[in-house]
Amino acid sequence: MEFLTALEWRYAVKKFSQQRVPEAQLQTLLQAATLSPSAYGLQPYRLILVRSTYLREQLVPHSYGQDKVANSSHLLVFAAQTNIGDETVNRYIARHSEVTGTPIADLQRYGDHMKSALASKTPAQRQEWAHQQAYIALGNLLTCAAQMRIDTCPMSGIDAQQYDRILGLTKRGLTTTMICPIGYRHQEDSQGQAAKVRFDYAEMVDSI
C-alpha cells in the first residue's frame, strides 16, 4: 500500500521550489535508474545530469519556454546511443564476463544471437529500440522518485536536436530521448492540488 500511496502522491510538477535534492538522495535515485531492466540488458542509453545553470537556461527556449528546465533542483536528460550494433553487444559481453567471471568465449553464442537480432533491424528501428529502452529507465526513475518523495516532470515536448547541440551529445554518439526535471513542488503549484485523473482499474486491465 505504501507503493500505491507514493504513486498517488506523485504528479507532473509545473512549478518547482528552490529546495535542492540532497546529493546523497540524488545519487541513490540515479543508481536506481541504472538498475533498470532493458532488452538483453544492453542499456543502450546514458543519463546526463545537467548541473550547469548556464546550460539549463540555454535549453529553456528549446523546451517550449518551460522554465522548470532551469528552475528545478536538477535536470536529467535521457540520451540514447546512436551507433547500435556489434560494439553495443561487445561492450555488454565484456561487462558480463567481468561481473560473472564467465569467459568471453563461453558467451560467444549469446553475443552472436544479440548481434543477429540487432542486425535484422534497420538503423531507424535500432534507434527507436534504443529510445524505448531509455523510456523503461525513465519509468523506473519516476517510481523510485515518488517513493523517495522527490518530485519529477517527465518531458518529451522539447527540440531534441537543439538539446543534442547544446549538450554536445552528437559527438558522444548520443541523441536526446526525453528529459526530466527533478526537485520539490512549489507550494504555489496549482497542479499539486488537482485531482489525479486516471481511468479505473476495470477500464485498464483485461483478463482473457
Side-chain angles (χ1 to χ4, degrees), residues 127-148:
Q127 188 66 82
E128 178 59 27
W129 171 84
H131 285 309
Q132 290 170 357
Q133 308 314 307
Y135 269 104
I136 296 173
L138 171 67
N140 265 17
L141 181 131
L142 297 179
T143 301
C144 291
Q147 290 191 297
M148 297 172 68

Side-chain angles (χ1 to χ4, degrees), residues 47-66:
L47 274 67
I48 313 299
L49 176 61
V50 186
R51 296 181 182 270
S52 167
T53 300
Y54 172 73
L55 287 176
R56 292 172 65 179
E57 289 176 349
Q58 280 192 294
L59 293 170
V60 171
H62 307 295
S63 312
Y64 293 94
Q66 297 180 83

